[in-house]
Amino acid sequence: MTWPTAADLLETEEAISFVKETFAKVLAQQLHLVKVSAPLVVLDGTGINDDLNGIERPVGFPIKALDEQRAVVVHSLAKWKRLRLFELGIPAGKGLLTDMRALRPDEDYSAIHSIYVDQWDWEKHILPEQRTIPFLKATVETIYGALKATEEQVRKRFGIAPILPPTIAFVHAEHLLQRYPNLTPKQREHEAAREYGAVFLMGIGGELSHGEIHDGRAPDYDDWSTRNEDGHRGLNGDILLWNPVLETAFEVSSMGIRVDKEALTRQLELRGCSERQSLHFHRLLLADELPQSIGGGIGQSRVTMFLLRKAHIGEVQVSIWPEAVRQELAEAGIALL
């Protein structure tokens, strides 16, 4: 076992900064995004915070200066970004990019999961006629191009050989179910990522032919219920890469075309939460006051971990870990930041 030296750790910190700065710059240029500030907390009860799968508890606290009104630490900025597009008057074809910091205390620890989340959260104003699968795929290919461009810069700077395939594949969750009917969703993702190297798995959140969903999605940001040109439902998905260090599928982004008022109404009903229509965000959307948009989150620690070939997310971010995990990783020569 070789324990990392202070010089090794410093080089890692420099590499982390390089990856984050390079990718953010390329992504903003390619998607025509402007960098904006973002909140760490939002007021509770506004419908702005991301509900993720609907069961995760946000970190909350009362604010003395607001008569004890409660605020919650964001899970992500999925709905806040769309509001911000409206507030800033960003025109169609352009969007915003922000550094999102979140706390998810209900997250289960693993080599790729921490209670601290850092993402590039982005949102782009689109035209109603761009709510299509071809436009979604073109956007995914642009993001993948930014990943490959960053990987090439990492090669030049740090000598790490590129491994991403030339192109990203597109597969619907229903197709994957038909190919591997006896596997779990995560096992199906594993097979797809291993086969293609990079895959965009579409239609996550909507019911598949066996009556179940591939994975959970909140009802009020991604459109996972609209029937698309491919004959399936969903205008969203996840970018999955094959991680050779961990030898598994590796999700780096969840994204999609956002709900319009018809999809919002339908998805709230399907999830049994139509009462959300009275919340601020939802009222604006149902009144056609918010722009049509596409957006998503791209994991900063995930991308950095992948491009630097790290075995644990704690090698590229500072978080809180159980002592048993620290000890186990120390014995394997892995130093957490």
Side-chain angles (χ1 to χ4, degrees):
M1 179 182 74
T2 302
W3 187 250
T5 65
D8 294 330
L9 294 176
L10 182 58
E11 183 180 27
T12 295
E13 293 282 15
E14 292 173 346
I16 292 169
S17 295
F18 180 81
V19 168
K20 291 184 176 182
E21 291 168 5
T22 301
F23 181 77
K25 182 178 180 179
V26 176
L27 184 71
Q29 290 174 340
Q30 295 299 314
L31 284 181
H32 308 292
L33 309 175
V34 60
K35 194 77 175 289
V36 301
S37 302
L40 174 62
V41 297
V42 295
L43 289 175
D44 198 12
T46 60
I48 295 175
N49 201 9
D50 181 1
D51 296 297
L52 301 177
N53 289 317
I55 58 174
E56 293 88 349
R57 298 170 299 171
V59 175
F61 55 91
I63 302 175
K64 183 179 72 171
L66 293 179
D67 296 325
E68 302 301 312
Q69 188 172 356
R70 288 188 63 79
V72 289
V73 176
V74 298
H75 277 147
S76 87
L77 298 171
K79 296 192 283 293
W80 177 88
K81 291 176 297 182
R82 196 166 177 182
L83 282 171
R84 202 65 180 140
L85 282 180
F86 167 67
E87 293 165 350
L88 295 176
I90 295 178
K94 298 185 181 298
L96 56 83
L97 173 68
T98 190
D99 289 316
M100 189 279 296
R101 301 289 182 263
L103 294 176
R104 298 179 183 175
D106 285 340
E107 196 73 73
D108 293 324
Y109 283 122
S110 77
I112 61 173
H113 290 98
S114 165
I115 63 170
Y116 170 68
V117 180
D118 54 347
Q119 291 184 167
W120 291 287
D121 251 335
W122 64 276
E123 198 81 11
K124 187 174 182 178
H125 184 175
I126 65 174
L127 299 171
E129 56 265 31
Q130 291 176 311
R131 302 186 75 256
T132 66
I133 286 294
F135 183 79
L136 174 65
K137 289 181 176 180
T139 304
V140 170
E141 287 170 342
T142 298
I143 295 170
Y144 187 67
L147 281 171
K148 284 187 63 63
T150 305
E151 183 183 50
E152 175 59 18
Q153 291 302 312
V154 169
R155 180 195 68 79
K156 292 179 179 179
R157 178 74 175 268
F158 301 103
I160 300 175
I163 59 172
L164 289 172
T167 60
I168 186 169
F170 294 89
V171 179
H172 195 279
E174 181 62 36
H175 290 157
L176 214 54
L177 173 63
Q178 297 303 319
R179 288 185 63 183
Y180 305 107
N182 297 320
L183 299 184
T184 67
K186 290 303 178 186
Q187 289 170 336
R188 296 197 290 270
E189 291 180 5
H190 180 91
E191 294 302 322
R194 182 167 59 179
E195 177 181 355
Y196 297 109
V199 60
F200 185 66
L201 184 58
M202 298 183 290
I204 297 178
E207 184 177 293
L208 303 178
S209 59
H210 63 339
E212 300 176 9
I213 62 175
H214 181 84
D215 199 2
R217 286 294 183 273
D220 38 19
Y221 56 98
D222 279 357
D223 185 339
W224 42 257
S225 66
T226 293
R227 190 170 294 280
N228 58 53
E229 303 93 320
D230 293 346
H232 297 294
R233 295 191 183 276
L235 296 169
N236 72 324
D238 289 348
I239 296 177
L240 306 172
L241 308 176
W242 177 254
N243 188 318
V245 177
L246 300 177
E247 296 187 326
T248 189
F250 192 73
E251 179 189 328
V252 296
S253 177
S254 176
M255 58 169 287
I257 292 173
R258 306 309 199 185
V259 290
D260 56 14
K261 65 179 181 181
E262 289 79 14
L264 174 64
T265 301
R266 179 171 57 248
Q267 292 180 183
L268 289 177
E269 184 176 349
L270 286 170
R271 290 291 182 264
C273 50
S274 295
E275 71 282 355
R276 291 190 192 177
Q277 294 184 32
S278 64
L279 297 173
H280 174 64
F281 171 86
H282 303 70
R283 290 200 313 269
L284 289 175
L285 181 52
L286 293 171
D288 282 327
E289 294 187 33
L290 297 182
Q292 297 299 315
S293 68
I294 184 172
I298 304 170
Q300 294 188 12
S301 290
R302 291 280 184 94
V303 168
T304 305
M305 181 183 171
F306 180 86
L307 293 179
L308 298 182
R309 310 289 185 262
K310 298 297 185 181
H312 197 281
I313 198 168
E315 294 182 90
V316 296
Q317 66 159 238
V318 178
S319 186
I320 298 173
W321 304 100
E323 188 55 37
V325 170
R326 286 187 172 277
Q327 182 62 34
E328 178 184 356
L329 293 174
E331 292 174 357
I334 296 175
L336 302 182
L337 297 182

